[in-house]
């Protein structure tokens, strides 16, 4: 009798339940030239009262990454100058300053906690760096814990990233795709 390797299940498009379990950590930072940029780290929220299966969390977060058009990220020290993929209007700012993140394959969006300064800067720049971590992180992680997470998960090649343009409203089609 021969043993067969387990069949890997495909990464699914994010469901409402998965989206509800996502944590979004917004941040403003500066690049080497001193220009401000906005980033959003998306992780699976660490459950409070139960354990989550790491393999299942990874599968679900790969679905999130693929739903955003993200590619494996490399930290600058390992591959300087490599840019993440570019996605069009994955992020929109709705009336009242609410920020939404949109995924392929599902009509559901991730609502980002309100941060007027982050939203204003992100919308002003017109782009946001979306980073998806394949491991769990507490939704109330401190800035130091987020930094440590990025270092550890990034060193293990478990981050995906894309740069998204920012739409001025949900559902807006980018200029290149609008009918003439």
């Amino acid at each position: 009798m021969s043993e067969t390797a387990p069949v890997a299940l495909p990464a699914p498009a994010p469901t409402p339940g998965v989206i509800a379990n996502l944590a979004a950590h917004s941040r403003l930072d500066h690049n080497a030239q001193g220009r401000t940029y906005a980033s959003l780290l998306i992780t699976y929220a660490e459950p409070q009262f139960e354990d989550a299966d790491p393999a299942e969390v990874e599968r679900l977060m790969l679905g999130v990454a693929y739903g955003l058009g993200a590619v494996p990220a490399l930290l600058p020290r390992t591959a300087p100058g490599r840019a993440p993929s570019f996605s069009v209007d994955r992020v929109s700012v709705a009336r009242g300053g609410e920020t939404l993140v949109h995924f392929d394959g599902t009509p559901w969006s991730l609502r980002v906690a309100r941060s007027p300064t982050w939203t204003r800067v992100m919308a002003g720049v017109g782009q946001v760096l979306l980073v998806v971590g394949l491991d769990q992180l507490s939704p109330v992680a401190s800035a130091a814990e987020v930094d440590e997470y990025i270092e550890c998960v990034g060193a293990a090649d478990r981050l995906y990233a894309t740069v998204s343009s920012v739409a001025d409203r949900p559902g807006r089609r980018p200029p290149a795709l609008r009918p003439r």
Side-chain angles (χ1 to χ4, degrees):
M1 185 181 245
S2 66
E3 287 187 37
T4 59
V7 176
L9 297 174
T15 64
V18 169
I19 294 170
N21 281 314
L22 296 178
H25 304 272
S26 59
R27 169 182 246 156
L28 294 175
D29 212 336
H30 295 85
N31 65 17
Q33 293 76 32
R35 298 181 71 186
T36 300
Y37 69 92
S39 64
L40 186 68
L41 172 65
I42 301 171
T43 63
Y44 192 85
E46 202 167 57
Q48 226 178 0
F49 302 110
E50 59 195 53
D51 290 330
D53 175 21
E56 180 64 5
V57 169
E58 177 178 350
R59 187 176 79 83
L60 296 173
M61 293 310 293
L62 282 170
V64 169
Y66 298 153
L68 292 172
V71 297
L74 295 174
L75 296 181
R77 69 178 177 285
T78 60
R82 177 173 179 221
S85 65
F86 186 81
S87 299
V88 177
D89 290 352
R90 296 282 180 188
V91 177
S92 63
V93 180
R95 192 175 316 151
E98 181 175 59
T99 301
L100 301 170
V101 178
H102 311 284
F103 305 94
D104 286 341
T106 183
W108 307 102
S109 299
L110 171 65
R111 189 172 282 155
V112 178
R114 289 182 191 250
S115 175
T117 301
W118 181 82
T119 300
R120 185 179 73 259
V121 170
M122 178 203 54
V125 171
Q127 295 180 342
V128 60
L129 173 64
L130 300 175
V131 180
V132 177
L134 300 185
D135 297 324
Q136 300 173 60
L137 180 64
S138 170
V140 294
S142 68
E145 290 169 323
V146 170
D147 286 343
E148 182 180 355
Y149 176 91
I150 291 170
E151 287 296 320
C152 292
V153 175
D157 295 328
R158 297 181 58 75
L159 291 177
Y160 281 66
T162 186
V163 173
S164 173
S165 57
V166 179
D168 56 3
R169 64 186 179 277
R172 183 194 81 171
R173 290 168 50 182
L177 301 179
R178 290 186 189 139
R180 293 181 187 244

